[in-house]
Amino acid sequence: MSIFGRAVLLLALAVALFAVVAALVGRRPRHRAWYLAARRAMYVLFGLFAVAVGALQVALLRSDFSLEAVTNYSSREIEWYFKITALWASQAGSLMFWGFLLTGFAAIAVYTNRNRNHELMPVVIAVLGSLGVFFAWILSFATSPFATVAVRPENGDGLVSALRNPYMIAHPPMLYLGYVGLTIPFAFAMAALASRQVDERWIVVT
């Protein structure tokens, strides 16, 4: 699971980098194909983050204690729904969950504007793709949710008592949705500045 998860995140980094470059090249009318490729890359990026989140979630539910994120934040005794919420208990897991929501919002923004706002969308994709690069790089090289332990224990440490609360099942996702949701108007604002179209259009879109 560790090798698979790391490979998916490295692939996500490559796809995010491609999306940024293709979007910037695709700003020129004669390079329309590059813009279309960047748009598809954002869908792929979301899919890769979804696969990575799913892989860690499976490891948590199966109590795969070869992973640090499972050993330190889960155990055989805790309920299955707390194993699910252990996804965002660790720093690496919460960052990956953040990246998952970010790329999901990005994919929705790109899809809903696929036939409009062609002047803004290349820069929007470049901004959102750059944020995808940041999260994929952090998760690949700084703090990996798929880091392994030297010796696999028989059981994990479990969740701290503060996180074993039904309200903590809903609170972090709602908090992240609020944070990540602001990324979309930020990307459109940057696109409006870059294309010098600072009328109310980008506000209406967001």
Side-chain angles (χ1 to χ4, degrees):
M1 188 66 75
S2 175
I3 295 176
F4 174 76
R6 289 175 183 270
V8 169
L9 290 173
L10 285 172
L11 184 58
L13 176 59
V15 170
L17 284 168
F18 172 80
V20 174
V21 174
L24 294 177
V25 174
R27 290 189 69 188
R28 300 179 181 180
R30 65 177 182 274
H31 292 153
R32 173 78 176 168
W34 283 90
Y35 164 66
L36 296 176
R39 199 170 68 189
R40 296 187 183 102
M42 295 304 295
Y43 303 146
V44 174
L45 183 61
F46 170 58
L48 290 170
F49 265 92
V51 169
V53 166
L56 183 56
Q57 198 68 83
V58 168
L60 286 164
L61 290 171
R62 291 183 175 179
S63 297
D64 183 0
F65 297 120
S66 65
L67 300 182
E68 284 185 3
V70 181
T71 299
N72 295 338
Y73 300 96
S74 183
S75 67
R76 299 185 188 280
E77 293 78 22
I78 65 174
E79 297 83 352
W80 64 269
Y81 45 86
F82 283 129
K83 289 185 179 182
I84 291 176
T85 61
L87 175 71
W88 50 77
S90 65
Q91 181 187 56
S94 63
L95 286 171
M96 186 167 66
F97 185 59
W98 193 321
F100 165 71
L101 294 178
L102 169 69
T103 54
F105 269 106
I108 292 171
V110 171
Y111 180 78
T112 55
N113 289 277
R114 64 193 183 280
N115 296 320
R116 55 182 179 174
N117 301 308
H118 296 305
E119 304 87 356
L120 300 177
M121 287 310 297
V123 181
V124 169
I125 292 175
V127 172
L128 295 173
S130 297
L131 293 171
V133 169
F134 171 77
F135 278 96
W137 186 90
I138 289 291
L139 294 167
S140 296
F141 300 109
T143 174
S144 175
F146 297 100
T148 56
V149 295
V151 179
R152 178 172 179 164
E154 290 297 322
N155 201 356
D157 298 334
L159 281 173
V160 297
S161 57
L163 296 178
R164 297 188 67 174
N165 184 306
Y167 294 107
M168 290 304 295
I169 296 175
H171 172 63
M174 293 175 67
L175 189 67
Y176 284 139
L177 285 170
Y179 282 146
V180 177
L182 291 174
T183 306
I184 303 304
F186 168 75
F188 275 93
M190 293 301 101
L193 290 172
S195 57
R196 298 182 180 180
Q197 296 185 15
V198 289
D199 53 16
E200 72 280 358
R201 186 188 317 177
W202 72 271
I203 299 176
V204 173
V205 171
T206 55

